[in-house]
Amino acid sequence: MTTVLALLLAGCGGSTPAPATAPAPRPASPTARLVPQPASLVADAGEPFVITAATSIVVDAGNAEAARTAELLAAIMRPSTGFSFRVTTTDAPNSITLRIDANRSALGAEGYELTSAAGAVRVVAHQQAGLYRGTQTLRQLLPFNIESHMNSDAKARWAIPAVTIADQPRFAWRGAMLDVARHFFTVSEVKQFVDLLALYKMNTLHLHLADDQGWRIEIKSRPQLANMGGVTQVGGGPGGFFTQADYSEIVRYAAERYIVVVPEIDMPAHINAALVSHPQLSCGKRPAALYTGTEVGFSAFCVDSAGTYALIEDIVRELAAITPGPYFHIGGDEVQALTPAQYKMFIERAQDIVNRHGKQMVGWDEIHKATLKPSSLIQHWADDSLASSLGYGGKVIMSPAKRMYLDMKYTASTELGLRWAALIELRDAYDWDPATYMKGVPERSIIGLEAPLWSETVRNITSAQYLMMPRLPAIAEVAWTPQAVRSWEYFRERIAGHAPRWHLMGVNFYRSPQVDW
């Protein structure tokens, strides 16, 4: 996990559409199954590698992380094949080898090489995260029914095509945000969200843990935050919150897949749920009270109160202690009840608190109005004027609402989602270049991309999947694949081949008319 962090150091319920019926398999080349598209792929003329009951997974002796990655790969393949896939340190015929090579520094933290031929598959990486990313490519090279939990055909041929792949990501930060504040998601549902990030080589899970409608994380020194502020959600449902043990389980599960968790406590606005238990710290446009609507901007901390910063200190201290990743997101958006001077002062004090607890501050567009430290990151969502503020030396996470907000409708007629930013069909999410999107923000200023999923209309993981898929894989490719290698026409062909995989995984998705499913 530390390897990914090192790289990152160098943004009303609705009806749920019924899951799509199983599409017929497409007769496509096995190498045309890959999303994101690798940086370099050569299909070789030789015979494929065929998995048999004798196939083992070989790792280096003493490499516990590689062994864990091997077990995760084996756990995917065992149910459908019926094979045992013994993880061993002994070379054997017809094996899959996962190897760390300290001399392959050019691969970086997440790069890998994969070679497949008759009798052997070999994945080599410089660091552990790259080894894991390579196993996800291997997974996609297998027939889609590798995702089945049933061994329904003993005569199935499990073949990996002869291929040579050299691959590493374009951007360091590739993630998605899940808003668990407006509608609450269980630990199991968050894990399902993580599973899709992992399949498409994303490495960051941003959890929006608090907003006006709900407080979703236990703070042991301030138990009333969750006990009083976590009891409702948009539309008036039961809400809920994560205990610190729940949160730590999410962090552990994500870390096994080399995904960093970034917690967000939105402030100084979007803070009503916290103020329900601390009304003396409320200086918004209305008194703090349980809230189930979707209006924004009305709540605010009293930024001149010592009690406000004592509360923030407790929150950041406890969350930082159970978050191994280097980041803490403070929100900072859509503040209506403070003056510009009050806002600037607050962001700078919050930044100091975050830094004091060993984390880098992340915030939405608006934080560029404060004096930021080079370690702080701005998450772009709407403000195209922030380019002039990048002189402080920091970097930008690109989350432009018109391209990347997964809570937007696909079309005017899709059931779920909003439309205030844009209607975002699949091609809209895919066919753009982050390096040229915003004038004055070149590629060197962009640490990566993140696709937010706000949950005003999203009640459960099935609804979330409908809005994510297939846009999440599209954004994953924008973030991973070199611009010169990407092609909308080739992407639409490749993504169509993932529909049978999603069906077997139980993933709900939108059947975009832009794709021949």
Side-chain angles (χ1 to χ4, degrees):
M1 189 61 186
T2 54
T3 58
V4 179
L5 303 185
L7 175 61
L8 293 179
L9 287 166
C12 75
S15 59
T16 301
T21 57
R26 291 167 57 87
S29 163
T31 56
R33 298 176 180 141
L34 299 181
V35 177
Q37 172 72 6
S40 172
L41 182 153
V42 177
D44 298 328
E47 291 297 311
F49 174 85
V50 179
I51 292 173
T52 70
T55 299
S56 59
I57 304 177
V58 180
V59 299
D60 292 325
N63 192 334
E65 283 195 66
R68 185 180 66 198
T69 293
E71 286 291 349
L72 289 173
L73 176 62
I76 290 168
M77 298 191 298
R78 283 169 181 148
S80 53
T81 63
F83 302 150
S84 62
F85 293 107
R86 183 170 61 98
V87 176
T88 178
T89 59
T90 304
D91 287 331
N94 209 62
S95 61
I96 298 168
T97 300
L98 307 181
R99 185 137 290 158
I100 295 295
D101 186 342
N103 296 317
R104 305 299 298 277
S105 59
L107 291 172
E110 295 185 278
Y112 65 93
E113 289 185 355
L114 186 155
T115 55
S116 173
V121 170
R122 183 179 177 88
V123 181
V124 178
H126 179 56
Q127 297 188 23
Q128 302 289 346
L131 203 62
Y132 180 82
R133 306 293 177 233
T135 65
Q136 298 309 294
T137 297
L138 189 154
R139 173 184 179 182
Q140 290 189 20
L141 285 170
L142 283 161
F144 71 87
N145 48 334
I146 197 70
E147 308 293 345
S148 174
H149 286 183
M150 296 180 64
N151 178 20
S152 58
D153 186 355
K155 296 181 180 180
R157 188 170 187 261
W158 301 100
I160 298 172
V163 67
T164 300
I165 294 172
D167 200 15
Q168 60 189 114
R170 178 183 181 185
F171 291 107
W173 182 303
R174 306 176 313 282
M177 186 209 79
L178 180 61
D179 173 11
V180 299
R182 289 179 175 84
H183 279 101
F184 183 62
F185 290 77
T186 66
V187 172
S188 175
E189 288 177 319
V190 176
K191 287 181 176 180
Q192 292 177 65
F193 192 89
V194 168
D195 288 340
L196 291 174
L197 301 187
L199 177 60
Y200 294 103
K201 298 187 177 70
M202 301 183 99
N203 65 3
T204 307
L205 169 64
H206 171 181
L207 286 176
H208 186 79
L209 291 167
D211 212 299
D212 292 320
Q213 299 86 355
W215 182 276
R216 307 302 185 201
I217 182 67
E218 174 191 27
I219 302 298
K220 292 184 177 180
S221 61
R222 307 275 187 153
Q224 63 273 40
L225 282 169
N227 291 336
M228 295 178 66
V231 298
T232 191
Q233 58 189 22
V234 167
F241 65 89
F242 301 125
T243 65
Q244 291 195 9
D246 292 334
Y247 177 82
S248 295
E249 173 59 17
I250 291 169
V251 169
R252 181 204 64 78
Y253 189 86
E256 282 189 344
R257 291 147 182 84
Y258 297 90
I259 292 172
V260 177
V261 174
V262 178
E264 179 188 355
I265 303 297
D266 206 343
M267 56 178 104
H270 288 276
I271 197 67
N272 174 74
L275 297 174
V276 169
S277 58
H278 293 77
Q280 74 279 11
L281 304 179
S282 177
C283 286
K285 293 184 173 183
R286 64 180 74 161
L290 291 176
Y291 179 67
T292 62
T294 58
E295 180 187 346
V296 300
F298 62 86
S299 62
F301 270 134
C302 294
V303 298
D304 298 316
S305 169
T308 291
Y309 300 101
L311 175 61
I312 295 170
E313 189 88 38
D314 288 341
I315 293 166
V316 175
R317 182 187 69 252
E318 291 197 28
L319 261 179
I322 57 175
T323 302
Y327 302 107
F328 192 104
H329 202 303
I330 67 156
D333 59 318
E334 298 179 318
V335 180
Q336 297 177 6
L338 302 179
T339 67
Q342 287 176 316
Y343 177 80
K344 180 178 184 296
M345 180 268 292
F346 175 86
I347 295 299
E348 291 166 8
R349 289 194 64 172
Q351 179 177 238
D352 288 341
I353 292 172
V354 169
N355 293 165
R356 188 159 57 248
H357 291 284
K359 304 300 181 185
Q360 293 175 244
M361 186 183 77
V362 187
W364 299 103
D365 276 340
E366 292 90 330
I367 68 166
H368 80 268
K369 300 170 184 176
T371 301
L372 301 178
K373 297 178 181 179
S375 61
S376 293
L377 302 177
I378 298 172
Q379 186 163 4
H380 164 67
W381 68 281
D383 187 350
D384 290 340
S385 68
L386 64 82
S388 61
S389 71
L390 292 179
Y392 76 96
K395 290 187 179 292
V396 174
I397 304 162
M398 294 292 288
S399 299
K402 293 179 181 179
R403 294 283 186 174
M404 296 185 67
Y405 267 34
L406 297 177
D407 53 302
M408 293 297 110
K409 289 175 175 283
Y410 293 94
T411 70
S413 61
T414 47
E415 299 95 325
L416 293 172
L418 303 171
R419 56 184 302 171
W420 60 264
L423 298 173
I424 305 177
E425 248 292 0
L426 181 59
R427 186 167 186 173
D428 300 313
Y430 181 86
D431 206 3
W432 63 293
D433 182 358
T436 60
Y437 182 80
M438 190 160 44
K439 186 177 180 179
V441 181
E443 184 159 342
R444 66 177 180 273
S445 297
I446 301 170
I447 191 173
L449 280 69
E450 182 179 291
L453 178 59
W454 302 100
S455 65
E456 286 95 335
T457 68
V458 183
R459 291 181 175 178
N460 51 45
I461 193 62
T462 306
S463 298
Q465 289 169 350
Y466 180 79
L467 290 171
M468 293 166 67
M469 309 297 285
R471 291 184 293 199
L472 183 80
I475 290 164
E477 182 156 309
V478 176
W480 179 280
T481 305
Q483 183 69 21
V485 178
R486 294 201 298 114
S487 159
W488 160 250
E489 290 301 328
Y490 189 37
F491 173 78
R492 65 185 292 273
E493 175 188 337
R494 284 178 286 118
I495 201 63
H498 284 236
R501 188 178 299 269
W502 299 335
H503 179 78
L504 288 175
M505 294 172 66
V507 173
N508 191 21
F509 68 97
Y510 166 69
R511 297 176 68 86
S512 170
Q514 297 179 339
V515 173
D516 180 12
W517 300 100

